[in-house]
Amino acid sequence: LSDKIRTELDSCAAGICLVDIAGGTPFNVTARLAAEYPVAVITGVNLPMLIEVHDGMEEMEYDELARFAVEALSSSGRVIYRKGAAAHE
């Protein structure tokens, strides 16, 4: 996995790695590579975030897209049910 990601990072100026959980193999590999390459590693990826980031790839620079990914992550979470309370949006 590390060699495949390294090959991709060698071919670009900077990168953003979206991973599911901190501590998992994708996170561990990309976090180590972040010490060598200009790459943002963002954990907690979910489908709404992935779609929003994909849609913004052509329009945003690396730093802006990384910030956007974190914002998309925080806006994609919501409470569906909480005991004793109505559903929220």
Side-chain angles (χ1 to χ4, degrees), residues 7 17 29 36-37 80:
T7 299
C17 295
V29 169
E36 301 173 43
Y37 294 91
I80 301 301

Side-chain angles (χ1 to χ4, degrees), residues 13-67:
I16 298 174
C17 295
L18 305 174
V19 299
D20 54 355
I21 57 171
T25 299
F27 171 81
N28 292 335
V29 169
T30 55
R32 281 192 297 274
L33 290 172
E36 301 173 43
Y37 294 91
V39 61
V41 180
I42 301 171
T43 64
V45 68
N46 57 47
L47 188 55
M49 172 199 186
L50 191 59
I51 291 168
E52 286 190 47
V53 170
H54 179 268
D55 289 347
M57 286 174 56
E58 299 295 323
E59 302 152 8
M60 296 181 211
E61 295 295 322
Y62 162 77
D63 291 332
E64 182 183 6
L65 188 59
R67 284 190 299 277

Side-chain angles (χ1 to χ4, degrees), residues 75-89:
S75 69
S76 66
R78 60 189 170 134
V79 176
I80 301 301
Y81 175 79
R82 186 177 67 202
K83 186 175 181 177
H88 309 301
E89 285 296 319

